[in-house]
Amino acid sequence: MKLLVHSASLLLASAVVQAQQQAPTTAAQAPTRDTSYIDAQGTAHITRVIPVPKTIGIEAQRRLSRPEPDQGPPQSLADRRKGTDAYTARARVEWSRLCPNQIVEEKIAGVPVRIVTPEGPEANRDRVLLNLHGGGFNSDSGSYTESIPIASYSKMKVVAVLYRLAPEHPFPAAVDDSVAVYKELLKTYQPGHIVIYGTSAGAILTAEVAARLKQLGVPLPAALGIFSGMGDFARSGDSVALYALRGFSGHLDPPEPEPHDPDYAATADPRDPVLSPIFGDLHGMPPTLFVTSGRDLLLSGTVNLHRAYLNAGVDARLVVFDALPHAFWYDSTLPEAIEANHTMADFFVQQLRK
């Protein structure tokens, strides 16, 4: 499975979307002892017996205990998008119960956006957060889940970009749309009063947009938020071979030699410094918060890009939550999700006060 097929599994929506027909592996079928075999190429063939750690909350422990089939029927893009839309509609209701808001849909620079304004007095009218949603570049699983809590906890308006999707519109369409919205916001807001952030595909896109803005000589925002992402379409990290969407549970194919996602990357060079910012000049990037988790399929991608930012002298901070799976902060029922969203919002507020 190619790297962005893992990443296109991205967000919790996929698991909700795909009703798998086969039964989960039973205790009798599962190995009961640790084993490891390393072949001549260094490939590891392993079995590990891993308890749910007590370092996470009861709700998270229960979540990790849910059985899920190892095999599932292939999902069409149409079914994925239909299911993702249904998931995000429910997520909007669930998050809005916790974080009351007003949401307006319009266009900025010709690009559709959702503008989320938190309930109550606006304390930061001259500041704005620009969200680039997750969803594997081929659907939208995050424009509500990534914007509603952050708007509420930061007391700031969030503009969520509904960029064009692959495979109909491959790279650099999403980058171009996001840059266009950012440049339009610069007509109203100072660059030091804007933050760009996203989860999963949106985290990847955040790093790509920042690289493109620097390439164009456009003033960079005050800060970035790269939440479970990566910056390298040329090489697969370790975590995509270890974890599926929900961590250890669910279907997972061994990585194939060709790592990049052809639906998104298309004919672009996988080492293009915008597509894969880890190969570009990262000096001068704004302060950036990276967030991931111990069983995140993009754990490697997130920490590798974080290290590249550090090596370029960037104020790059990394928060890793124990044991939890990819983009767990989408789930409004998890205390750790509330904590993660507060961590993100607090970082943005701190950077925008400077």
Side-chain angles (χ1 to χ4, degrees), residues 40 43 56 61 110 113 115 118 178 212 220 267 269 280 300 324:
T43 302
I56 59 177
Q61 292 179 41
V113 299
I115 301 176
S178 303
R212 182 59 176 151
L220 294 172
T267 59
D269 180 350
S300 294
L324 293 164

Side-chain angles (χ1 to χ4, degrees), residues 180-195:
V181 174
Y182 177 78
K183 290 169 74 174
E184 189 66 24
L185 290 177
L186 286 177
K187 297 177 181 178
T188 304
Y189 300 91
Q190 300 176 32
H193 287 179
I194 305 174
V195 168

Side-chain angles (χ1 to χ4, degrees), residues 237-249:
D238 204 44
S239 60
V240 295
L242 289 169
Y243 306 117
L245 182 68
R246 292 190 178 276
F248 285 118
S249 66

Side-chain angles (χ1 to χ4, degrees), residues 43-57:
T43 302
H45 307 257
I46 62 174
T47 295
R48 290 289 184 257
V49 179
I50 304 171
V52 175
K54 303 303 181 185
T55 54
I56 59 177

Side-chain angles (χ1 to χ4, degrees), residues 17 105 111 144 192 198 208 246 259 267 326 330-331 342:
V17 169
E105 300 202 10
V111 179
Y144 291 130
E208 292 177 340
R246 292 190 178 276
T267 59
H326 183 66
Y330 274 23
D331 188 344
H342 273 292

